[in-house]
Amino acid sequence: MKTLRPTLILALLAGLTTGAAHAADFTQVLTDKSSLAFTSKQMGVPVDGLFRKFSAQLAFDPAKPATASTVLEIDLASIDAGSKDANEEVVGKQWFNVKAFPTARFVSTAVKAVGGGRYEVSGKMTIKGQTHDVVAPFTFRQDGANGVFDGGFVLKRMDFGIGEGPWSDVSAVANEIQIKFHVVAAPAPAKK
């Protein structure tokens, strides 16, 4: 009987954990608690920045990651590249050309679990009219009622024509830009 109790307790705990995972479908991105940041290298020196405005549509159930989807739209004019001069430069024609292309867009095509609370989202990133495949590993955890997604990927700026003309010299500004995201999402409202 004593050996049965720990087994029974473990089975109950597993059932509770599984039930909690099935109960939540995270759909409401809390942009005020989320962030979209990047690190580029200029002359080998890391420079951090972020985008202040973005919106996202999300559907993620940790019990069914293959059914997940997301659409992210980034207001490119909301960039904070570290200084007023840099902000003015990067919205111009040679960089983001925000007059012609005001937003960047990511649309997921697949999400898969890779184990241990880790996942991978694949999708199409469009910047300046150029679309390329992106794969971003991320972690997911619950924080109270909310879900927290942390991840990132390397974006090659020249694939999208970000930094044309004299800025296409990747020895001055590196081609690889590390993108980091922290997304907090609330569960879908309860159905009545």
Side-chain angles (χ1 to χ4, degrees):
M1 190 79 169
K2 287 184 180 179
T3 56
L4 184 58
R5 269 191 204 160
T7 305
L8 182 59
I9 291 170
L10 288 174
L12 286 172
L13 286 174
L16 289 173
T17 305
T18 303
H22 284 281
D25 188 10
F26 297 94
T27 60
Q28 301 178 59
V29 174
L30 307 174
T31 54
D32 60 323
K33 296 181 182 191
S34 302
S35 61
L36 182 58
F38 62 88
T39 302
S40 61
K41 284 193 177 178
Q42 296 178 21
M43 305 299 279
V45 177
V47 177
D48 294 329
L50 57 90
F51 290 94
R52 297 193 183 280
K53 293 181 186 174
F54 58 91
S55 63
Q57 298 168 15
L58 175 69
F60 182 83
D61 180 343
K64 300 181 277 184
T67 65
S69 66
T70 188
V71 176
L72 171 69
E73 291 203 354
I74 305 162
D75 177 349
L76 295 175
S78 74
I79 191 168
D80 182 347
S83 71
K84 185 178 182 230
D85 289 343
N87 294 347
E88 290 172 0
E89 179 69 35
V90 296
V91 297
K93 191 172 184 178
Q94 293 182 328
W95 288 92
F96 284 125
N97 192 6
V98 297
K99 286 185 181 174
F101 306 100
T103 60
R105 182 175 171 95
F106 173 79
V107 179
S108 66
T109 55
V111 177
K112 69 177 182 178
V114 293
R118 295 176 301 122
Y119 301 84
E120 221 173 58
V121 59
S122 303
K124 304 282 186 186
M125 175 70 80
T126 303
I127 304 172
K128 288 182 76 174
Q130 301 289 320
T131 301
H132 294 280
D133 293 326
V134 169
V135 176
F138 68 93
T139 59
F140 169 80
R141 64 182 170 82
Q142 281 198 242
D143 183 10
N146 294 332
V148 179
F149 305 81
D150 284 296
F153 61 97
V154 173
L155 180 137
K156 293 189 176 181
R157 68 181 181 89
M158 297 311 299
D159 289 350
F160 299 93
I162 303 169
E164 299 175 28
W167 299 108
S168 61
D169 178 3
V170 295
S171 67
V173 179
N175 189 29
E176 293 81 16
I177 299 171
Q178 180 66 47
I179 308 295
K180 296 174 234 160
F181 56 87
H182 172 77
V183 175
V184 179
K191 294 179 182 177
K192 294 181 181 181

